[in-house]
Amino acid sequence: MSTTTVETSAADTERRPAGAPRTVRRRGDRSRAASFVSHAVLIGASLIALFPIAWLFFLSLGPDKDDYLHPGRIWRKMTFDNYAFVLKDTNFFDWLTSTLVVVLGTTLIGVVVAASTGYAVSRMRFPGYRKLMWVLLVTQMFPIAVLIVPMYQILSDLQLIDSYLGLILVNCTTIVPYCAWLMKGYFDTIPFEIDEAGRVDGLTPFGTFARLILPLAKPGLAVAAFYSFLTAFGEVAFASTFMLSDDNYTFAVGLQTFVSEHDAQRNLMAATAVLIAIPAAIFFYLVQKNLVTGLTAGGTKG
């Protein structure tokens, strides 16, 4: 049991009335001014982050395509007709189906390949294991514009142009390298003794990976899945190049159909953008519990 001695100057003792309680600020406690400033900064940052979303929703309520030029007029004629038109008179649900197939397929394949690659490099010492990770890193340095032509030729030879599988595989080429590095860093934080315990119990390396390591790596898997989901969800260049039919357009490509060389239906684009954000928000809600843990745990080892 320890005691803490708080020394005060004689002047402070003379100024404080006899019997008055003495307030001692504990280490880590903030003053009211510091607390007020921190809360004000957080509120300001939240408003800045939410303003584009609120503004987009506000513009989506304008019935005319040029209302974005005069947003003050929207107050007098707000309507949800834009949403009704998008849901009934466009290929919105075809875009939704295509997006879900591509995004979920990319997320599943990308996370499985990245997790197995990250685990192999983290636990196994095979010839060239260090070079493998550097090769994955180097692949991220090539611009998408340089990759589109050879990828188009490869997919054409494989007859995967305008197919979900072709776009999923192309998306994985950009997702797997980053997620493999992410998962490798997270697997490094899991003690090696767990693998040894699995071998003692008679598990194969794959059995140890699937039954012991993956359950402990849920936060890292959540971050990899979230990154894969958002990357595939918002990808435009590959989707617009490799998907040729309107029925196979993803959201990111379908959104562009509202703006052409001679016309721009920005009210419908705004309404569609609001609807598009809903699946991403739902997915974020499902994985948010593990995101913070996964983002911070892979940064240190041990």
Side-chain angles (χ1 to χ4, degrees), residues 144 147-156 159-171 173 235-245 248-250 253:
I144 292 180
L147 300 175
I148 285 181
V149 174
M151 284 185 174
Y152 190 95
Q153 184 63 45
I154 293 173
L155 293 182
S156 178
Q159 297 183 353
L160 292 177
I161 296 295
D162 198 26
S163 68
Y164 294 139
L165 179 60
L167 185 57
I168 289 173
L169 295 178
V170 168
N171 286 336
T173 61
E235 200 282 320
V236 178
F238 290 146
S240 59
T241 302
F242 303 134
M243 307 303 279
L244 306 180
S245 58
N248 290 339
Y249 282 171
T250 60
V253 181

PDB file of all heavy atoms in Angstrom, residues 144 147-156 159-171 173 235-245 248-250 253:
ATOM      1  N   ILE A 144      -3.274   1.771 -62.976  1.00  0.00           N
ATOM      2  CA  ILE A 144      -4.346   0.951 -63.548  1.00  0.00           C
ATOM      3  C   ILE A 144      -4.389   1.098 -65.064  1.00  0.00           C
ATOM      4  O   ILE A 144      -4.666   0.129 -65.787  1.00  0.00           O
ATOM      5  CB  ILE A 144      -5.688   1.352 -62.914  1.00  0.00           C
ATOM      6  CG1 ILE A 144      -5.703   0.958 -61.440  1.00  0.00           C
ATOM      7  CG2 ILE A 144      -6.855   0.692 -63.649  1.00  0.00           C
ATOM      8  CD1 ILE A 144      -6.986   1.310 -60.725  1.00  0.00           C
ATOM      9  N   LEU A 147      -2.314  -1.395 -66.753  1.00  0.00           N
ATOM     10  CA  LEU A 147      -2.719  -2.787 -66.601  1.00  0.00           C
ATOM     11  C   LEU A 147      -3.951  -3.161 -67.414  1.00  0.00           C
ATOM     12  O   LEU A 147      -4.182  -4.347 -67.681  1.00  0.00           O
ATOM     13  CB  LEU A 147      -2.990  -3.085 -65.123  1.00  0.00           C
ATOM     14  CG  LEU A 147      -1.815  -2.874 -64.158  1.00  0.00           C
ATOM     15  CD1 LEU A 147      -2.281  -3.094 -62.725  1.00  0.00           C
ATOM     16  CD2 LEU A 147      -0.661  -3.804 -64.496  1.00  0.00           C
ATOM     17  N   ILE A 148      -4.758  -2.172 -67.783  1.00  0.00           N
ATOM     18  CA  ILE A 148      -6.038  -2.478 -68.410  1.00  0.00           C
ATOM     19  C   ILE A 148      -5.865  -3.220 -69.742  1.00  0.00           C
ATOM     20  O   ILE A 148      -6.560  -4.212 -70.007  1.00  0.00           O
ATOM     21  CB  ILE A 148      -6.860  -1.190 -68.615  1.00  0.00           C
ATOM     22  CG1 ILE A 148      -7.435  -0.724 -67.270  1.00  0.00           C
ATOM     23  CG2 ILE A 148      -7.981  -1.415 -69.605  1.00  0.00           C
ATOM     24  CD1 ILE A 148      -8.273   0.531 -67.364  1.00  0.00           C
ATOM     25  N   VAL A 149      -4.937  -2.768 -70.572  1.00  0.00           N
ATOM     26  CA  VAL A 149      -4.771  -3.389 -71.896  1.00  0.00           C
ATOM     27  C   VAL A 149      -4.336  -4.846 -71.797  1.00  0.00           C
ATOM     28  O   VAL A 149      -4.973  -5.735 -72.394  1.00  0.00           O
ATOM     29  CB  VAL A 149      -3.794  -2.570 -72.760  1.00  0.00           C
ATOM     30  CG1 VAL A 149      -3.519  -3.301 -74.074  1.00  0.00           C
ATOM     31  CG2 VAL A 149      -4.367  -1.179 -73.031  1.00  0.00           C
ATOM     32  N   PRO A 150      -3.273  -5.174 -71.072  1.00  0.00           N
ATOM     33  CA  PRO A 150      -2.911  -6.607 -70.982  1.00  0.00           C
ATOM     34  C   PRO A 150      -3.978  -7.443 -70.281  1.00  0.00           C
ATOM     35  O   PRO A 150      -4.195  -8.607 -70.659  1.00  0.00           O
ATOM     36  CB  PRO A 150      -1.600  -6.596 -70.184  1.00  0.00           C
ATOM     37  CG  PRO A 150      -1.560  -5.277 -69.499  1.00  0.00           C
ATOM     38  CD  PRO A 150      -2.278  -4.329 -70.375  1.00  0.00           C
ATOM     39  N   MET A 151      -4.646  -6.879 -69.275  1.00  0.00           N
ATOM     40  CA  MET A 151      -5.715  -7.628 -68.606  1.00  0.00           C
ATOM     41  C   MET A 151      -6.878  -7.881 -69.561  1.00  0.00           C
ATOM     42  O   MET A 151      -7.482  -8.963 -69.531  1.00  0.00           O
ATOM     43  CB  MET A 151      -6.200  -6.865 -67.369  1.00  0.00           C
ATOM     44  CG  MET A 151      -5.261  -6.952 -66.179  1.00  0.00           C
ATOM     45  SD  MET A 151      -5.961  -6.173 -64.729  1.00  0.00           S
ATOM     46  CE  MET A 151      -4.723  -6.593 -63.507  1.00  0.00           C
ATOM     47  N   TYR A 152      -7.183  -6.906 -70.380  1.00  0.00           N
ATOM     48  CA  TYR A 152      -8.265  -7.091 -71.358  1.00  0.00           C
ATOM     49  C   TYR A 152      -7.917  -8.216 -72.327  1.00  0.00           C
ATOM     50  O   TYR A 152      -8.782  -9.034 -72.676  1.00  0.00           O
ATOM     51  CB  TYR A 152      -8.512  -5.790 -72.114  1.00  0.00           C
ATOM     52  CG  TYR A 152      -9.765  -5.818 -72.965  1.00  0.00           C
ATOM     53  CD1 TYR A 152     -10.957  -5.329 -72.467  1.00  0.00           C
ATOM     54  CD2 TYR A 152      -9.744  -6.335 -74.259  1.00  0.00           C
ATOM     55  CE1 TYR A 152     -12.117  -5.354 -73.240  1.00  0.00           C
ATOM     56  CE2 TYR A 152     -10.884  -6.372 -75.036  1.00  0.00           C
ATOM     57  CZ  TYR A 152     -12.076  -5.875 -74.516  1.00  0.00           C
ATOM     58  OH  TYR A 152     -13.220  -5.906 -75.281  1.00  0.00           O
ATOM     59  N   GLN A 153      -6.662  -8.268 -72.755  1.00  0.00           N
ATOM     60  CA  GLN A 153      -6.238  -9.324 -73.672  1.00  0.00           C
ATOM     61  C   GLN A 153      -6.318 -10.697 -73.004  1.00  0.00           C
ATOM     62  O   GLN A 153      -6.774 -11.677 -73.607  1.00  0.00           O
ATOM     63  CB  GLN A 153      -4.806  -9.051 -74.137  1.00  0.00           C
ATOM     64  CG  GLN A 153      -4.285 -10.045 -75.167  1.00  0.00           C
ATOM     65  CD  GLN A 153      -5.086 -10.012 -76.464  1.00  0.00           C
ATOM     66  OE1 GLN A 153      -5.388  -8.945 -76.972  1.00  0.00           O
ATOM     67  NE2 GLN A 153      -5.440 -11.193 -76.980  1.00  0.00           N
ATOM     68  N   ILE A 154      -5.905 -10.764 -71.743  1.00  0.00           N
ATOM     69  CA  ILE A 154      -5.943 -12.039 -71.019  1.00  0.00           C
ATOM     70  C   ILE A 154      -7.385 -12.502 -70.837  1.00  0.00           C
ATOM     71  O   ILE A 154      -7.721 -13.662 -71.083  1.00  0.00           O
ATOM     72  CB  ILE A 154      -5.233 -11.900 -69.659  1.00  0.00           C
ATOM     73  CG1 ILE A 154      -3.740 -11.670 -69.870  1.00  0.00           C
ATOM     74  CG2 ILE A 154      -5.462 -13.144 -68.807  1.00  0.00           C
ATOM     75  CD1 ILE A 154      -2.982 -11.365 -68.598  1.00  0.00           C
ATOM     76  N   LEU A 155      -8.259 -11.591 -70.398  1.00  0.00           N
ATOM     77  CA  LEU A 155      -9.658 -11.965 -70.198  1.00  0.00           C
ATOM     78  C   LEU A 155     -10.336 -12.328 -71.514  1.00  0.00           C
ATOM     79  O   LEU A 155     -11.211 -13.198 -71.553  1.00  0.00           O
ATOM     80  CB  LEU A 155     -10.412 -10.816 -69.513  1.00  0.00           C
ATOM     81  CG  LEU A 155     -10.007 -10.500 -68.070  1.00  0.00           C
ATOM     82  CD1 LEU A 155     -10.869  -9.382 -67.516  1.00  0.00           C
ATOM     83  CD2 LEU A 155     -10.126 -11.737 -67.188  1.00  0.00           C
ATOM     84  N   SER A 156      -9.939 -11.657 -72.583  1.00  0.00           N
ATOM     85  CA  SER A 156     -10.507 -11.985 -73.892  1.00  0.00           C
ATOM     86  C   SER A 156     -10.103 -13.395 -74.318  1.00  0.00           C
ATOM     87  O   SER A 156     -10.925 -14.161 -74.844  1.00  0.00           O
ATOM     88  CB  SER A 156     -10.052 -10.967 -74.932  1.00  0.00           C
ATOM     89  OG  SER A 156     -10.554 -11.279 -76.207  1.00  0.00           O
ATOM     90  N   GLN A 159     -12.121 -15.792 -72.483  1.00  0.00           N
ATOM     91  CA  GLN A 159     -13.558 -15.592 -72.709  1.00  0.00           C
ATOM     92  C   GLN A 159     -14.275 -15.170 -71.421  1.00  0.00           C
ATOM     93  O   GLN A 159     -15.359 -15.648 -71.095  1.00  0.00           O
ATOM     94  CB  GLN A 159     -14.193 -16.864 -73.277  1.00  0.00           C
ATOM     95  CG  GLN A 159     -13.643 -17.257 -74.634  1.00  0.00           C
ATOM     96  CD  GLN A 159     -14.330 -18.488 -75.218  1.00  0.00           C
ATOM     97  OE1 GLN A 159     -15.147 -19.138 -74.560  1.00  0.00           O
ATOM     98  NE2 GLN A 159     -14.013 -18.801 -76.476  1.00  0.00           N
ATOM     99  N   LEU A 160     -13.649 -14.246 -70.712  1.00  0.00           N
ATOM    100  CA  LEU A 160     -14.212 -13.747 -69.458  1.00  0.00           C
ATOM    101  C   LEU A 160     -14.600 -12.277 -69.544  1.00  0.00           C
ATOM    102  O   LEU A 160     -14.905 -11.657 -68.527  1.00  0.00           O
ATOM    103  CB  LEU A 160     -13.208 -13.944 -68.313  1.00  0.00           C
ATOM    104  CG  LEU A 160     -12.927 -15.394 -67.908  1.00  0.00           C
ATOM    105  CD1 LEU A 160     -11.873 -15.450 -66.809  1.00  0.00           C
ATOM    106  CD2 LEU A 160     -14.202 -16.092 -67.464  1.00  0.00           C
ATOM    107  N   ILE A 161     -14.583 -11.719 -70.752  1.00  0.00           N
ATOM    108  CA  ILE A 161     -15.048 -10.347 -70.921  1.00  0.00           C
ATOM    109  C   ILE A 161     -16.553 -10.298 -70.673  1.00  0.00           C
ATOM    110  O   ILE A 161     -17.299 -11.165 -71.111  1.00  0.00           O
ATOM    111  CB  ILE A 161     -14.717  -9.820 -72.327  1.00  0.00           C
ATOM    112  CG1 ILE A 161     -13.194  -9.750 -72.520  1.00  0.00           C
ATOM    113  CG2 ILE A 161     -15.321  -8.436 -72.543  1.00  0.00           C
ATOM    114  CD1 ILE A 161     -12.498  -8.753 -71.634  1.00  0.00           C
ATOM    115  N   ASP A 162     -17.010  -9.283 -69.972  1.00  0.00           N
ATOM    116  CA  ASP A 162     -18.429  -9.094 -69.642  1.00  0.00           C
ATOM    117  C   ASP A 162     -18.963 -10.245 -68.788  1.00  0.00           C
ATOM    118  O   ASP A 162     -20.107 -10.685 -68.946  1.00  0.00           O
ATOM    119  CB  ASP A 162     -19.276  -8.947 -70.911  1.00  0.00           C
ATOM    120  CG  ASP A 162     -20.643  -8.313 -70.630  1.00  0.00           C
ATOM    121  OD1 ASP A 162     -20.757  -7.578 -69.643  1.00  0.00           O
ATOM    122  OD2 ASP A 162     -21.593  -8.582 -71.396  1.00  0.00           O
ATOM    123  N   SER A 163     -18.114 -10.719 -67.882  1.00  0.00           N
ATOM    124  CA  SER A 163     -18.540 -11.777 -66.959  1.00  0.00           C
ATOM    125  C   SER A 163     -18.163 -11.380 -65.537  1.00  0.00           C
ATOM    126  O   SER A 163     -17.184 -10.662 -65.311  1.00  0.00           O
ATOM    127  CB  SER A 163     -17.892 -13.115 -67.308  1.00  0.00           C
ATOM    128  OG  SER A 163     -16.500 -13.079 -67.057  1.00  0.00           O
ATOM    129  N   TYR A 164     -18.950 -11.848 -64.592  1.00  0.00           N
ATOM    130  CA  TYR A 164     -18.686 -11.531 -63.186  1.00  0.00           C
ATOM    131  C   TYR A 164     -17.351 -12.113 -62.731  1.00  0.00           C
ATOM    132  O   TYR A 164     -16.591 -11.454 -62.006  1.00  0.00           O
ATOM    133  CB  TYR A 164     -19.804 -12.078 -62.307  1.00  0.00           C
ATOM    134  CG  TYR A 164     -21.147 -11.435 -62.531  1.00  0.00           C
ATOM    135  CD1 TYR A 164     -22.312 -12.194 -62.553  1.00  0.00           C
ATOM    136  CD2 TYR A 164     -21.262 -10.061 -62.735  1.00  0.00           C
ATOM    137  CE1 TYR A 164     -23.556 -11.607 -62.758  1.00  0.00           C
ATOM    138  CE2 TYR A 164     -22.490  -9.459 -62.950  1.00  0.00           C
ATOM    139  CZ  TYR A 164     -23.637 -10.241 -62.953  1.00  0.00           C
ATOM    140  OH  TYR A 164     -24.852  -9.649 -63.158  1.00  0.00           O
ATOM    141  N   LEU A 165     -17.053 -13.341 -63.141  1.00  0.00           N
ATOM    142  CA  LEU A 165     -15.815 -13.981 -62.709  1.00  0.00           C
ATOM    143  C   LEU A 165     -14.591 -13.206 -63.177  1.00  0.00           C
ATOM    144  O   LEU A 165     -13.623 -13.041 -62.419  1.00  0.00           O
ATOM    145  CB  LEU A 165     -15.754 -15.419 -63.243  1.00  0.00           C
ATOM    146  CG  LEU A 165     -14.496 -16.206 -62.887  1.00  0.00           C
ATOM    147  CD1 LEU A 165     -14.336 -16.316 -61.381  1.00  0.00           C
ATOM    148  CD2 LEU A 165     -14.534 -17.599 -63.533  1.00  0.00           C
ATOM    149  N   GLY A 166     -14.630 -12.709 -64.418  1.00  0.00           N
ATOM    150  CA  GLY A 166     -13.501 -11.936 -64.919  1.00  0.00           C
ATOM    151  C   GLY A 166     -13.255 -10.688 -64.105  1.00  0.00           C
ATOM    152  O   GLY A 166     -12.114 -10.376 -63.731  1.00  0.00           O
ATOM    153  N   LEU A 167     -14.325  -9.952 -63.783  1.00  0.00           N
ATOM    154  CA  LEU A 167     -14.163  -8.730 -62.993  1.00  0.00           C
ATOM    155  C   LEU A 167     -13.725  -9.049 -61.574  1.00  0.00           C
ATOM    156  O   LEU A 167     -12.930  -8.312 -60.981  1.00  0.00           O
ATOM    157  CB  LEU A 167     -15.477  -7.947 -62.984  1.00  0.00           C
ATOM    158  CG  LEU A 167     -15.444  -6.581 -62.296  1.00  0.00           C
ATOM    159  CD1 LEU A 167     -14.383  -5.679 -62.922  1.00  0.00           C
ATOM    160  CD2 LEU A 167     -16.816  -5.909 -62.373  1.00  0.00           C
ATOM    161  N   ILE A 168     -14.210 -10.152 -61.007  1.00  0.00           N
ATOM    162  CA  ILE A 168     -13.793 -10.543 -59.657  1.00  0.00           C
ATOM    163  C   ILE A 168     -12.294 -10.840 -59.616  1.00  0.00           C
ATOM    164  O   ILE A 168     -11.576 -10.385 -58.718  1.00  0.00           O
ATOM    165  CB  ILE A 168     -14.607 -11.771 -59.192  1.00  0.00           C
ATOM    166  CG1 ILE A 168     -16.055 -11.370 -58.921  1.00  0.00           C
ATOM    167  CG2 ILE A 168     -13.988 -12.388 -57.947  1.00  0.00           C
ATOM    168  CD1 ILE A 168     -16.968 -12.545 -58.633  1.00  0.00           C
ATOM    169  N   LEU A 169     -11.807 -11.584 -60.604  1.00  0.00           N
ATOM    170  CA  LEU A 169     -10.382 -11.915 -60.631  1.00  0.00           C
ATOM    171  C   LEU A 169      -9.528 -10.668 -60.828  1.00  0.00           C
ATOM    172  O   LEU A 169      -8.460 -10.539 -60.211  1.00  0.00           O
ATOM    173  CB  LEU A 169     -10.112 -12.926 -61.753  1.00  0.00           C
ATOM    174  CG  LEU A 169     -10.756 -14.307 -61.576  1.00  0.00           C
ATOM    175  CD1 LEU A 169     -10.458 -15.189 -62.781  1.00  0.00           C
ATOM    176  CD2 LEU A 169     -10.283 -14.975 -60.291  1.00  0.00           C
ATOM    177  N   VAL A 170      -9.988  -9.758 -61.661  1.00  0.00           N
ATOM    178  CA  VAL A 170      -9.236  -8.523 -61.884  1.00  0.00           C
ATOM    179  C   VAL A 170      -9.193  -7.688 -60.604  1.00  0.00           C
ATOM    180  O   VAL A 170      -8.152  -7.122 -60.241  1.00  0.00           O
ATOM    181  CB  VAL A 170      -9.865  -7.720 -63.037  1.00  0.00           C
ATOM    182  CG1 VAL A 170      -9.289  -6.313 -63.090  1.00  0.00           C
ATOM    183  CG2 VAL A 170      -9.615  -8.421 -64.365  1.00  0.00           C
ATOM    184  N   ASN A 171     -10.312  -7.596 -59.902  1.00  0.00           N
ATOM    185  CA  ASN A 171     -10.328  -6.853 -58.644  1.00  0.00           C
ATOM    186  C   ASN A 171      -9.398  -7.472 -57.610  1.00  0.00           C
ATOM    187  O   ASN A 171      -8.765  -6.760 -56.816  1.00  0.00           O
ATOM    188  CB  ASN A 171     -11.747  -6.793 -58.087  1.00  0.00           C
ATOM    189  CG  ASN A 171     -12.645  -5.841 -58.849  1.00  0.00           C
ATOM    190  OD1 ASN A 171     -12.172  -4.904 -59.495  1.00  0.00           O
ATOM    191  ND2 ASN A 171     -13.940  -6.072 -58.796  1.00  0.00           N
ATOM    192  N   THR A 173      -6.596  -8.792 -58.103  1.00  0.00           N
ATOM    193  CA  THR A 173      -5.199  -8.458 -58.368  1.00  0.00           C
ATOM    194  C   THR A 173      -4.776  -7.184 -57.642  1.00  0.00           C
ATOM    195  O   THR A 173      -3.587  -6.997 -57.345  1.00  0.00           O
ATOM    196  CB  THR A 173      -4.958  -8.270 -59.873  1.00  0.00           C
ATOM    197  OG1 THR A 173      -5.772  -7.197 -60.369  1.00  0.00           O
ATOM    198  CG2 THR A 173      -5.303  -9.539 -60.630  1.00  0.00           C
ATOM    199  N   GLU A 235     -14.974   0.582 -57.383  1.00  0.00           N
ATOM    200  CA  GLU A 235     -14.067   0.482 -58.534  1.00  0.00           C
ATOM    201  C   GLU A 235     -14.797   0.846 -59.825  1.00  0.00           C
ATOM    202  O   GLU A 235     -15.900   0.381 -60.085  1.00  0.00           O
ATOM    203  CB  GLU A 235     -13.515  -0.941 -58.606  1.00  0.00           C
ATOM    204  CG  GLU A 235     -12.240  -1.065 -59.420  1.00  0.00           C
ATOM    205  CD  GLU A 235     -12.522  -1.052 -60.896  1.00  0.00           C
ATOM    206  OE1 GLU A 235     -13.512  -1.673 -61.331  1.00  0.00           O
ATOM    207  OE2 GLU A 235     -11.739  -0.405 -61.627  1.00  0.00           O
ATOM    208  N   VAL A 236     -14.172   1.684 -60.646  1.00  0.00           N
ATOM    209  CA  VAL A 236     -14.809   2.191 -61.865  1.00  0.00           C
ATOM    210  C   VAL A 236     -14.062   1.759 -63.120  1.00  0.00           C
ATOM    211  O   VAL A 236     -14.674   1.301 -64.087  1.00  0.00           O
ATOM    212  CB  VAL A 236     -14.921   3.730 -61.830  1.00  0.00           C
ATOM    213  CG1 VAL A 236     -15.534   4.247 -63.120  1.00  0.00           C
ATOM    214  CG2 VAL A 236     -15.747   4.182 -60.634  1.00  0.00           C
ATOM    215  N   ALA A 237     -12.738   1.893 -63.112  1.00  0.00           N
ATOM    216  CA  ALA A 237     -11.962   1.698 -64.343  1.00  0.00           C
ATOM    217  C   ALA A 237     -12.126   0.284 -64.902  1.00  0.00           C
ATOM    218  O   ALA A 237     -12.435   0.101 -66.083  1.00  0.00           O
ATOM    219  CB  ALA A 237     -10.487   2.000 -64.064  1.00  0.00           C
ATOM    220  N   PHE A 238     -11.915  -0.726 -64.076  1.00  0.00           N
ATOM    221  CA  PHE A 238     -12.033  -2.107 -64.556  1.00  0.00           C
ATOM    222  C   PHE A 238     -13.479  -2.444 -64.919  1.00  0.00           C
ATOM    223  O   PHE A 238     -13.741  -3.088 -65.936  1.00  0.00           O
ATOM    224  CB  PHE A 238     -11.537  -3.078 -63.477  1.00  0.00           C
ATOM    225  CG  PHE A 238     -10.057  -3.031 -63.253  1.00  0.00           C
ATOM    226  CD1 PHE A 238      -9.524  -3.243 -61.989  1.00  0.00           C
ATOM    227  CD2 PHE A 238      -9.192  -2.784 -64.300  1.00  0.00           C
ATOM    228  CE1 PHE A 238      -8.158  -3.196 -61.772  1.00  0.00           C
ATOM    229  CE2 PHE A 238      -7.824  -2.730 -64.103  1.00  0.00           C
ATOM    230  CZ  PHE A 238      -7.303  -2.935 -62.833  1.00  0.00           C
ATOM    231  N   ALA A 239     -14.417  -2.026 -64.081  1.00  0.00           N
ATOM    232  CA  ALA A 239     -15.825  -2.365 -64.329  1.00  0.00           C
ATOM    233  C   ALA A 239     -16.332  -1.743 -65.624  1.00  0.00           C
ATOM    234  O   ALA A 239     -17.064  -2.375 -66.388  1.00  0.00           O
ATOM    235  CB  ALA A 239     -16.683  -1.916 -63.146  1.00  0.00           C
ATOM    236  N   SER A 240     -15.966  -0.498 -65.884  1.00  0.00           N
ATOM    237  CA  SER A 240     -16.434   0.170 -67.100  1.00  0.00           C
ATOM    238  C   SER A 240     -15.751  -0.373 -68.353  1.00  0.00           C
ATOM    239  O   SER A 240     -16.278  -0.238 -69.459  1.00  0.00           O
ATOM    240  CB  SER A 240     -16.197   1.674 -66.997  1.00  0.00           C
ATOM    241  OG  SER A 240     -14.812   1.959 -66.820  1.00  0.00           O
ATOM    242  N   THR A 241     -14.589  -1.006 -68.212  1.00  0.00           N
ATOM    243  CA  THR A 241     -13.864  -1.543 -69.365  1.00  0.00           C
ATOM    244  C   THR A 241     -14.272  -2.976 -69.683  1.00  0.00           C
ATOM    245  O   THR A 241     -14.458  -3.345 -70.854  1.00  0.00           O
ATOM    246  CB  THR A 241     -12.345  -1.498 -69.112  1.00  0.00           C
ATOM    247  OG1 THR A 241     -11.952  -0.144 -68.846  1.00  0.00           O
ATOM    248  CG2 THR A 241     -11.579  -2.025 -70.315  1.00  0.00           C
ATOM    249  N   PHE A 242     -14.435  -3.789 -68.637  1.00  0.00           N
ATOM    250  CA  PHE A 242     -14.656  -5.215 -68.840  1.00  0.00           C
ATOM    251  C   PHE A 242     -16.124  -5.615 -68.821  1.00  0.00           C
ATOM    252  O   PHE A 242     -16.454  -6.732 -69.219  1.00  0.00           O
ATOM    253  CB  PHE A 242     -13.896  -6.028 -67.790  1.00  0.00           C
ATOM    254  CG  PHE A 242     -12.421  -5.749 -67.785  1.00  0.00           C
ATOM    255  CD1 PHE A 242     -11.737  -5.535 -66.600  1.00  0.00           C
ATOM    256  CD2 PHE A 242     -11.703  -5.701 -68.966  1.00  0.00           C
ATOM    257  CE1 PHE A 242     -10.375  -5.288 -66.590  1.00  0.00           C
ATOM    258  CE2 PHE A 242     -10.350  -5.453 -68.977  1.00  0.00           C
ATOM    259  CZ  PHE A 242      -9.679  -5.239 -67.784  1.00  0.00           C
ATOM    260  N   MET A 243     -17.018  -4.766 -68.346  1.00  0.00           N
ATOM    261  CA  MET A 243     -18.453  -5.079 -68.343  1.00  0.00           C
ATOM    262  C   MET A 243     -19.116  -4.265 -69.444  1.00  0.00           C
ATOM    263  O   MET A 243     -19.145  -3.025 -69.389  1.00  0.00           O
ATOM    264  CB  MET A 243     -19.077  -4.755 -66.980  1.00  0.00           C
ATOM    265  CG  MET A 243     -18.353  -5.403 -65.801  1.00  0.00           C
ATOM    266  SD  MET A 243     -18.220  -7.200 -65.915  1.00  0.00           S
ATOM    267  CE  MET A 243     -19.837  -7.677 -65.345  1.00  0.00           C
ATOM    268  N   LEU A 244     -19.633  -4.933 -70.458  1.00  0.00           N
ATOM    269  CA  LEU A 244     -20.102  -4.254 -71.661  1.00  0.00           C
ATOM    270  C   LEU A 244     -21.615  -4.088 -71.723  1.00  0.00           C
ATOM    271  O   LEU A 244     -22.101  -3.142 -72.346  1.00  0.00           O
ATOM    272  CB  LEU A 244     -19.635  -5.038 -72.900  1.00  0.00           C
ATOM    273  CG  LEU A 244     -18.119  -5.310 -72.984  1.00  0.00           C
ATOM    274  CD1 LEU A 244     -17.797  -6.093 -74.250  1.00  0.00           C
ATOM    275  CD2 LEU A 244     -17.327  -4.021 -72.914  1.00  0.00           C
ATOM    276  N   SER A 245     -22.381  -4.961 -71.115  1.00  0.00           N
ATOM    277  CA  SER A 245     -23.841  -4.891 -71.199  1.00  0.00           C
ATOM    278  C   SER A 245     -24.407  -4.124 -70.012  1.00  0.00           C
ATOM    279  O   SER A 245     -23.851  -4.153 -68.905  1.00  0.00           O
ATOM    280  CB  SER A 245     -24.440  -6.296 -71.243  1.00  0.00           C
ATOM    281  OG  SER A 245     -24.064  -7.044 -70.098  1.00  0.00           O
ATOM    282  N   ASN A 248     -25.105  -5.890 -66.682  1.00  0.00           N
ATOM    283  CA  ASN A 248     -23.964  -6.309 -65.869  1.00  0.00           C
ATOM    284  C   ASN A 248     -23.223  -5.140 -65.234  1.00  0.00           C
ATOM    285  O   ASN A 248     -22.196  -5.357 -64.582  1.00  0.00           O
ATOM    286  CB  ASN A 248     -22.977  -7.128 -66.706  1.00  0.00           C
ATOM    287  CG  ASN A 248     -23.522  -8.487 -67.069  1.00  0.00           C
ATOM    288  OD1 ASN A 248     -24.439  -8.999 -66.415  1.00  0.00           O
ATOM    289  ND2 ASN A 248     -22.983  -9.091 -68.116  1.00  0.00           N
ATOM    290  N   TYR A 249     -23.722  -3.926 -65.427  1.00  0.00           N
ATOM    291  CA  TYR A 249     -23.070  -2.771 -64.828  1.00  0.00           C
ATOM    292  C   TYR A 249     -23.135  -2.853 -63.309  1.00  0.00           C
ATOM    293  O   TYR A 249     -24.140  -3.269 -62.735  1.00  0.00           O
ATOM    294  CB  TYR A 249     -23.740  -1.474 -65.270  1.00  0.00           C
ATOM    295  CG  TYR A 249     -23.363  -1.006 -66.659  1.00  0.00           C
ATOM    296  CD1 TYR A 249     -24.039   0.055 -67.252  1.00  0.00           C
ATOM    297  CD2 TYR A 249     -22.345  -1.606 -67.368  1.00  0.00           C
ATOM    298  CE1 TYR A 249     -23.709   0.494 -68.522  1.00  0.00           C
ATOM    299  CE2 TYR A 249     -22.008  -1.177 -68.635  1.00  0.00           C
ATOM    300  CZ  TYR A 249     -22.691  -0.133 -69.208  1.00  0.00           C
ATOM    301  OH  TYR A 249     -22.364   0.292 -70.467  1.00  0.00           O
ATOM    302  N   THR A 250     -22.065  -2.444 -62.670  1.00  0.00           N
ATOM    303  CA  THR A 250     -22.088  -2.268 -61.224  1.00  0.00           C
ATOM    304  C   THR A 250     -22.583  -0.856 -60.912  1.00  0.00           C
ATOM    305  O   THR A 250     -22.791  -0.033 -61.805  1.00  0.00           O
ATOM    306  CB  THR A 250     -20.695  -2.476 -60.625  1.00  0.00           C
ATOM    307  OG1 THR A 250     -19.782  -1.523 -61.199  1.00  0.00           O
ATOM    308  CG2 THR A 250     -20.187  -3.882 -60.904  1.00  0.00           C
ATOM    309  N   VAL A 253     -20.497   2.082 -62.306  1.00  0.00           N
ATOM    310  CA  VAL A 253     -20.628   2.316 -63.746  1.00  0.00           C
ATOM    311  C   VAL A 253     -22.031   2.807 -64.078  1.00  0.00           C
ATOM    312  O   VAL A 253     -22.209   3.707 -64.901  1.00  0.00           O
ATOM    313  CB  VAL A 253     -20.296   1.038 -64.533  1.00  0.00           C
ATOM    314  CG1 VAL A 253     -20.398   1.288 -66.034  1.00  0.00           C
ATOM    315  CG2 VAL A 253     -18.899   0.549 -64.175  1.00  0.00           C
TER     316      VAL A 253
END
